[in-house]
Amino acid sequence: MFEHPAVFRRLRADSTLLPQVLDETIRWLSPVQSATRHVVRDCEFAGVGLEAGATVNCMLGAANRDPRAFPRPDNFDIERTNLRRHLGFATGPHSCVGFNLAKSEARIAIEEL
């Protein structure tokens, strides 16, 4: 928050912004940078052929800075309309089981401080 003093001031004035601040922080700093997956059957993704048994390293931190998904990706913006679409803890059935715990711990720590 010290890198974004205007957001910090807004949060201090309105604590209901905390969920937005947490999601944008997770997108912006991506605690999980990559996830390794194994291809289970021959397929094509984004025009690239993938063979069964191949290993794919998904760069989650880079995905969270993709301008097609997050306009002005290097800006810290708690007003994004798609804040919760970040991949900070992966997604779907492979998302980190500790995701909600991590967000709760961060929320509690910030509220107490």
Side-chain angles (χ1 to χ4, degrees), residues 41-107:
R41 64 180 175 280
D42 291 352
C43 62
E44 185 177 303
F45 182 78
V48 176
L50 302 171
E51 295 181 9
T55 300
V56 178
N57 197 13
C58 308
M59 303 310 294
L60 304 177
N64 282 333
R65 296 292 181 108
D66 184 344
R68 294 170 295 182
F70 300 101
R72 299 177 337 276
D74 294 329
N75 291 358
F76 189 87
D77 181 4
I78 65 169
E79 302 299 331
R80 291 181 190 281
T81 57
N82 61 348
L83 274 173
R84 302 199 70 209
R85 294 200 59 223
H86 63 77
L87 300 175
F89 287 86
T91 189
H94 300 289
S95 63
C96 176
V97 297
F99 173 58
N100 288 319
L101 176 61
K103 279 182 71 171
S104 293
E105 289 174 337
R107 179 187 51 77

Side-chain angles (χ1 to χ4, degrees), residues 10-19 111:
R10 285 183 63 196
L11 179 60
R12 290 187 66 170
D14 182 1
S15 64
T16 66
L17 295 174
L18 186 53
E111 288 171 347

Side-chain angles (χ1 to χ4, degrees), residues 20-67:
Q20 292 166 248
V21 169
L22 290 175
D23 276 317
E24 180 64 351
T25 300
I26 293 167
R27 182 203 67 83
W28 200 65
L29 293 174
S30 295
V32 177
Q33 288 292 311
S34 65
T36 301
R37 300 292 181 253
H38 303 284
V39 180
V40 295
R41 64 180 175 280
D42 291 352
C43 62
E44 185 177 303
F45 182 78
V48 176
L50 302 171
E51 295 181 9
T55 300
V56 178
N57 197 13
C58 308
M59 303 310 294
L60 304 177
N64 282 333
R65 296 292 181 108
D66 184 344

